[in-house]
Amino acid sequence: MDYIIILGLNHKTAPVELRECLAFSGEETDALLRSFSEHAAIKESILVSTCNRVEILLTSPDSDAAIGAAKRFISEYKRIPVSRFEESLYIHQGDDAIRHIFRVAASLDSMVVGEPQILGQIKEAYRTAALKRTSGVILNRLLHKTFFVAKRVRSETGIGDHAVSISYAAIELGRKIFGSLEGMRVLLIGAGEMAELAVEHLIRHRSGDIFVANRTFERGIELARRFRGTAIRFEEIGGMLQKVDIIISSTGSPEYVIDRKMVKAAMGGRKHRPLFFIDIAVPRDIDPRINRMDNAYVYDIDDLKGVIDENIEDRNREAVKAERIIDAAVVSFRKWYESLDVVPTIKALRGKMAEIARSEVEKTLGILHHLSEADAEAIHRMTEALINKMMHDPTIFLKNNGCLRDKAYYVDITRRLFNLDPAELSGSGARPGDSQHRTEEEL
Amino acid sequence: MMQLFSMAALFLYLLSTAGYVSYLFLQKDVLHRAGWGLLGAGFLANLAAILYEFIAAGRFPVGNLQETLSVAACTLAGLFLVFQHRYRLRVLGVYAAPLAALIMSVSVRLPKAPSQMEIVFNNFWIIFHVVVIFIGNAAFALAAGAGILYLMQESAIKGKNHGFFFHRLPSLNLLDTVGYASIVVGFTMFTLGLITGFLYAKMVWGRFWSWDPKEVWSGVMWLFYAALLHERLATGWRGRKAAIMSIVGFGVLLFTFLGVNFLLTGHHGAFTRW
């Protein structure tokens, strides 16, 4: 019986300096998987490598040898002594390993709980392993179950609800004000990473024209080109308030860039359509009293942080529900996994045949009234002998198959061929293209 | 028989309310669908009760308060079903369903008094008059509901307090749009109702206007909503102000509909007698 082993490290156990040393590129992944498949103690393998984690999934009849080999390979490929990363490594086996991969895929183990990218990354890793044929019966089943569990967690809990980054929280607020952001015109005042990220999010939500105002006009032109927008002069901001709907401000200005008078002047001209101010600057650029005016909404950086904190708390509460789903899934997977053992499979097969024989013989004896007790006994003995003869070769084959493929494969085939698990585990396949939506949270 | 249909309608409205309220808390799609379906079933039962009475008595059943409220509940439910279909503003169900249930529950408790109308309700104009006025009133009721939700959502956004309602209520824009659409529908229907009322008055009493208190208050109400729409179109009165005004307008409507009949007298009195 092969063991399921997972070894890895993540943002909690290893600092970024170490994680970046151990990140595997596509080619390195291929090479490592090849080495794994050539190693005697390793049957199946999958490697997941992201900027926040490295996870190696293995099955092996000899877990110590497999773990040792895995460490050695990492050390060789990344040219780093085992002692440097051994401390940060966690190793799980059996149920713990199953639970770990479920939790990782469901994003319970992520830096920000509930961020969806990790699932796509695992799918990608699985696809690589499947193409290289380094994953087999057990890991195929495990990964399909993993995707299924992750999907269930996402749809049945609120773990992925509500934004947890500043820029995305601003988008979510915008949608609560405007409904759809499509066609909303945006004014970016100043520059800065967070502000620019917010603009990018807006563009992804198909916002309308982008205007950029900067103290240095040249810098404004540069930014405007990046967003395919229009640069305007700082003095034009007041007039611009009539045209735009969303204002993102991030300047180093010590006093307010937009005050109440400007907004009041603009409101009539824009027929009181709502104005949404996102003030990322410290000190603030937008007079907070504007928030008290009708149809004007101001969120500063602290407000947005407050929103995020609430949302993170929400997610953590939902994570408890997710753990319950995962616990149940671990149990159901283990059931299947244990069934891969040869002895219970042979027992189940024999049981099934005996059951069929018994009911058929009884049916026949029911019609043949003229047979004596001894005759009936003889028929019973004959069917038993039949079963024994028929079971002989399959049993020998399953118990000591000298074949190239591993035992689990044949046990699985046997169980399916004779339908020994009528209530099949449900699973979902990996879909290509799920991993494209990468954001800043897990790269 | 009519009583049976009315009770069924009330029962279904109450179930629909339960569906929408549990949707508000649990956010499961199946719940609001159930709420919608139950409200639809309630609407049909309610309609059956009205039609039955219409056929049995041979007149449009708005001769006493019990009948009038039944018609009011029916139009409210029907109009909400249409709005929900058009705007997908599910959460408004937590307002519309209980309101229909409340109106219906008052209606079924009232004794079934014989109609005290001298006029027979078979004239086309009077039926049209009554029906469009009720649809208009139902639309104004929905506008007030959308206004209430708007104010709740706005205070959540402005107060930066993203609790229970923030996540459950739709965008301000949608609430504002639905409120506006309700008022447009309400105003159109109400205006048609007033015109047919004038025509009918001319036919029966020989004059368009007779300073009946109900007429006066309807005039006040019409001017109020006309002002609201005018401000919106001319200067873009939207959002908070529009929401508050649609709630106030509904208050005027309630007074016109019920208060006038209880406190003052006039030729519309019999509608609400019991």
Side-chain angles (χ1 to χ4, degrees):
Chain A
M1 187 68 174
D2 293 340
Y3 299 97
I4 298 175
I5 306 155
I6 197 161
L7 74 165
L9 44 81
N10 63 21
H11 53 92
K12 288 176 200 154
T13 66
V16 65
E17 299 80 38
L18 183 56
R19 295 203 307 274
E20 64 195 7
C21 293
L22 291 177
F24 283 84
S25 70
E27 282 164 28
E28 288 169 327
T29 303
D30 291 354
L32 187 72
L33 289 177
R34 207 174 311 120
S35 305
F36 280 156
S37 65
E38 283 159 8
H39 194 276
I42 297 172
K43 286 268 181 65
E44 304 177 25
S45 58
I46 293 175
L47 169 69
V48 182
S49 176
T50 76
C51 69
N52 279 339
R53 64 177 68 248
V54 175
E55 306 277 354
I56 298 173
L57 258 168
L58 302 170
T59 66
S60 164
D62 179 353
S63 51
D64 289 340
I67 292 164
K71 284 183 191 169
R72 213 169 45 247
F73 282 134
I74 296 174
S75 161
E76 278 169 22
Y77 276 97
K78 303 308 293 187
R79 288 189 208 85
I80 177 173
V82 174
S83 60
R84 256 204 70 196
F85 63 84
E86 205 168 20
E87 286 278 281
S88 307
L89 222 52
Y90 47 78
I91 297 166
H92 302 298
Q93 295 193 36
D95 279 5
D96 291 340
I98 299 167
R99 178 172 289 108
H100 182 78
I101 185 72
F102 286 175
R103 292 188 77 247
V104 170
S107 188
L108 293 177
D109 199 43
S110 298
M111 199 180 262
V112 180
V113 168
E115 286 305 286
Q117 309 78 261
I118 182 66
L119 179 58
Q121 290 161 339
I122 293 178
K123 283 183 177 172
E124 191 64 48
Y126 170 61
R127 191 160 44 190
T128 306
L131 283 175
K132 300 262 164 247
R133 300 192 179 286
T134 63
S135 76
V137 181
I138 295 176
L139 290 190
N140 283 346
R141 184 70 160 239
L142 178 60
L143 268 287
H144 284 170
K145 185 79 181 172
T146 301
F147 303 144
F148 175 72
V149 169
K151 215 158 95 186
R152 237 192 102 186
V153 164
R154 190 145 293 273
S155 63
E156 289 180 22
T157 73
I159 196 171
D161 293 355
H162 315 316
V164 287
S165 70
I166 295 275
S167 50
Y168 215 82
I171 301 298
E172 213 172 69
L173 272 164
R175 291 167 55 120
K176 279 288 179 191
I177 294 169
F178 299 109
S180 159
L181 297 175
E182 202 173 332
M184 291 297 149
R185 279 175 289 218
V186 180
L187 170 61
L188 171 64
I189 305 175
E193 199 183 332
M194 232 185 291
E196 288 163 31
L197 205 55
V199 175
E200 279 167 21
H201 280 317
L202 283 169
I203 293 172
R204 213 171 298 147
H205 279 87
R206 291 188 289 173
S207 59
D209 302 335
I210 311 269
F211 300 93
V212 180
N214 208 294
R215 288 251 189 242
T216 38
F217 192 62
E218 287 65 36
R219 174 95 177 92
I221 289 177
E222 200 180 297
L223 263 177
R225 195 174 301 136
R226 223 184 91 199
F227 297 128
R228 296 216 185 89
T230 317
I232 61 163
R233 298 202 173 273
F234 223 67
E235 302 71 47
E236 296 177 273
I237 290 174
M240 215 59 206
L241 290 183
Q242 287 204 9
K243 279 176 93 175
V244 299
D245 307 291
I246 300 169
I247 296 98
I248 302 169
S249 194
S250 172
T251 76
S253 162
E255 66 264 351
Y256 296 139
V257 176
I258 294 177
D259 58 24
R260 286 202 295 178
K261 247 189 279 156
M262 293 163 81
V263 177
K264 204 172 227 166
M267 266 303 180
R270 54 185 293 110
K271 286 208 161 186
H272 298 271
R273 278 180 294 110
L275 265 175
F276 179 30
F277 296 92
I278 303 160
D279 188 356
I280 301 178
V282 179
R284 288 180 288 184
D285 285 345
I286 317 281
D287 187 343
R289 286 176 302 176
I290 291 171
N291 190 45
R292 271 182 253 149
M293 300 170 68
D294 271 0
N295 300 314
Y297 307 89
V298 182
Y299 269 73
D300 64 33
I301 186 89
D302 279 6
D303 298 332
L304 291 170
K305 274 191 189 140
V307 172
I308 293 173
D309 288 346
E310 264 176 50
N311 291 349
I312 289 176
E313 258 173 53
D314 274 355
R315 285 187 176 196
N316 289 339
R317 266 195 295 277
E318 291 298 308
V320 179
K321 282 190 216 162
E323 299 280 4
R324 275 204 295 274
I325 293 174
I326 286 176
D327 283 343
V330 170
V331 171
S332 110
F333 185 80
R334 190 186 46 212
K335 242 182 170 165
W336 173 82
Y337 172 70
E338 279 171 354
S339 75
L340 288 185
D341 210 350
V342 173
V343 178
T345 300
I346 292 172
K347 262 192 194 156
L349 184 54
R350 178 178 288 273
K352 179 158 185 168
M353 292 195 166
E355 181 54 34
I356 293 169
R358 193 189 54 77
S359 76
E360 292 304 314
V361 167
E362 261 166 28
K363 236 188 267 169
T364 310
L365 290 181
I367 312 165
L368 303 175
H369 299 292
H370 59 275
L371 291 184
S372 71
E373 195 99 326
D375 292 338
E377 185 58 30
I379 288 178
H380 274 298
R381 269 205 307 279
M382 183 203 70
T383 53
E384 235 163 77
L386 269 176
I387 292 170
N388 283 338
K389 286 260 157 71
M390 285 193 294
M391 283 294 294
H392 180 73
D393 285 336
T395 307
I396 299 286
F397 176 83
L398 285 174
K399 275 197 170 152
N400 36 335
N401 65 65
C403 329
L404 302 165
R405 302 196 72 149
D406 60 308
K407 207 172 266 182
Y409 175 77
Y410 289 105
V411 173
D412 188 50
I413 290 283
T414 308
R415 298 193 77 91
R416 285 206 231 171
L417 206 53
F418 292 97
N419 193 23
L420 299 180
D421 310 284
E424 267 287 275
L425 289 166
S426 40
S428 80
R431 273 200 320 274
D434 276 355
S435 57
Q436 281 154 6
H437 186 69
R438 296 189 177 194
T439 60
E440 70 267 33
E441 280 86 7
E442 184 142 9
L443 286 171
Chain B
M1 192 65 182
M2 177 190 166
Q3 193 68 11
L4 192 72
F5 279 127
S6 298
M7 289 308 284
L10 171 60
F11 183 64
L12 288 163
Y13 288 156
L14 286 171
L15 281 181
S16 168
T17 304
Y20 276 112
V21 170
S22 45
Y23 171 67
L24 183 66
F25 283 91
L26 303 173
Q27 299 282 293
K28 294 262 184 283
D29 272 356
V30 61
L31 291 170
H32 84 78
R33 256 182 264 130
W36 198 74
L38 288 163
L39 196 68
F43 167 73
L44 292 177
N46 203 340
L47 197 64
I50 294 166
L51 287 177
Y52 183 83
E53 185 62 20
F54 199 157
I55 292 160
R59 58 175 178 80
F60 194 57
V62 283
N64 56 42
L65 188 61
Q66 182 246 327
E67 293 171 350
T68 310
L69 288 179
S70 174
V71 174
C74 188
T75 41
L76 179 68
L79 197 70
F80 172 73
L81 291 171
V82 175
F83 265 71
Q84 156 70 17
H85 182 70
R86 171 74 179 77
Y87 291 103
R88 317 249 162 241
L89 185 56
R90 298 158 180 179
V91 71
L92 194 58
V94 297
Y95 168 85
L99 191 58
L102 178 72
I103 298 170
M104 207 59 201
S105 71
V106 176
S107 169
V108 297
R109 275 160 172 273
L110 289 168
K112 202 176 160 322
S115 172
Q116 302 178 3
M117 309 289 293
E118 312 90 68
I119 317 151
V120 178
F121 267 110
N122 279 338
N123 183 298
F124 169 77
W125 291 111
I126 195 76
I127 293 175
F128 189 79
H129 166 69
V130 172
V131 168
V132 291
I133 288 268
F134 271 94
I135 293 174
N137 284 356
F140 287 141
L142 288 183
I148 292 168
L149 296 180
Y150 182 95
L151 292 180
M152 284 163 73
Q153 181 67 305
E154 195 205 46
S155 92
I157 292 176
K158 288 229 177 212
K160 285 141 200 196
N161 160 32
H162 296 182
F164 186 78
F165 287 108
F166 175 79
H167 294 304
R168 284 170 169 78
L169 293 179
S171 68
L172 291 177
N173 184 47
L174 178 63
L175 291 167
D176 190 55
T177 307
V178 171
Y180 176 53
S182 308
I183 288 189
V184 170
V185 170
F187 187 74
T188 313
M189 290 298 172
F190 193 63
T191 307
L192 277 175
L194 288 188
I195 292 168
T196 47
F198 292 149
L199 292 177
Y200 183 73
K202 179 76 178 159
M203 285 191 289
V204 176
W205 294 296
R207 56 180 187 274
F208 288 110
W209 183 270
S210 48
W211 293 103
D212 170 65
K214 192 118 184 166
E215 287 175 10
V216 174
W217 276 94
S218 295
V220 170
M221 202 173 123
W222 189 86
L223 287 174
F224 183 90
Y225 281 109
L228 176 52
L229 278 178
H230 172 264
E231 284 299 308
R232 176 155 195 135
L233 293 172
T235 63
W237 237 35
R238 50 157 62 229
R240 183 182 178 74
K241 270 189 202 135
I244 292 173
M245 292 320 266
S246 51
I247 297 168
V248 172
F250 188 52
V252 177
L253 184 154
L254 283 180
F255 184 74
T256 310
F257 182 54
L258 298 173
V260 167
N261 295 54
F262 295 154
L263 305 175
L264 310 163
T265 51
H267 67 230
H268 280 90
F271 295 121
T272 43
R273 198 156 298 151
W274 78 93

